[in-house]
Amino acid sequence: LMRGLPVMPWLTPHPDIYDKGQVFIKNTATKRSYSAAKMDKAFSDAGAYQAAAAWQQVLTYPNHLPPNVTTYCLYSKGLKTIKSLKYSRKDFMDTPVLSYADGDSTVPLAGLKSACDNWVQAQELPVYSRVWENVGHAGILMAKGGVQYVVDAVKALGRKEMMRVLNEQA
């Protein structure tokens, strides 16, 4: 999968978000474990050298900095979500044993919450979070109230921006 899907480096855990000791990939044949900080090594050991190089590029983009704009975080919890993979072949060509955590079926809850929780502390502008239960990652907008939440957020932001412009002109 890592060799054939170039987007994979963008979808792997970022070391700014996850605990440095948290293992995401384990290879029992090589007795190696890989944390978010060692994803490039996991890609290289699996023979996915381009993915390893792409991962190094991903690291140049800070993943944890607050956007310093009013922010609306939408995410879900309550669904079985892959947390880690364990391979038993040196070349990573076997089907991994999966372990699971709470999340939205795509991203573990720890990753979903992390940025929003950190931004609340790190920026002056407000950060609003809305959490759904048992809604898949791509299904938030289709969830009951999902589209309306986004519409209301856009309207609120529009009113705030209009007031800011009017205040600057006065």
Side-chain angles (χ1 to χ4, degrees):
L1 184 62
M2 290 186 282
R3 291 182 193 109
L5 193 58
V7 74
M8 284 302 291
W10 287 98
L11 301 176
T12 55
H14 196 283
D16 289 343
I17 302 293
Y18 290 93
D19 179 45
K20 297 195 184 326
Q22 184 175 349
V23 173
F24 289 98
I25 301 174
K26 185 174 185 109
N27 188 310
T28 57
T30 63
K31 297 186 178 17
R32 290 186 181 150
S33 297
Y34 307 91
S35 66
K38 298 293 182 183
M39 282 294 134
D40 57 338
K41 182 70 173 147
F43 289 134
S44 293
D45 288 353
Y49 303 107
Q50 288 179 328
W55 174 244
Q56 288 299 320
Q57 289 297 311
V58 168
L59 292 178
T60 65
Y61 299 100
N63 202 19
H64 63 289
L65 297 177
N68 292 317
V69 297
T70 299
T71 304
Y72 292 82
C73 295
L74 291 72
Y75 60 90
S76 177
K77 63 180 185 172
L79 296 177
K80 188 170 150 179
T81 304
I82 296 172
K83 177 175 102 173
S84 64
L85 304 95
K86 186 184 333 179
Y87 292 89
S88 58
R89 285 183 46 170
K90 239 177 155 171
D91 62 3
F92 291 81
M93 293 303 285
D94 55 320
T95 301
V97 173
L98 307 175
S99 66
Y100 296 91
D102 186 14
D104 68 0
S105 76
T106 301
V107 180
L109 185 58
L112 293 166
K113 286 184 61 177
S114 178
C116 295
D117 289 352
N118 290 337
W119 292 343
V120 166
Q121 305 300 322
Q123 71 177 35
E124 292 180 27
L125 293 167
V127 176
Y128 303 101
S129 290
R130 169 75 194 270
V131 182
W132 276 262
E133 291 282 338
N134 302 314
V135 176
H137 187 79
I140 294 269
L141 293 178
M142 302 310 288
K144 184 175 181 180
V147 169
Q148 191 59 51
Y149 183 82
V150 172
V151 168
D152 291 346
V154 170
K155 284 181 181 177
L157 287 170
R159 282 191 299 271
K160 288 175 189 172
E161 180 61 17
M162 184 174 68
M163 293 305 293
R164 185 188 65 76
V165 170
L166 290 173
N167 287 335
E168 284 179 359
Q169 293 175 353

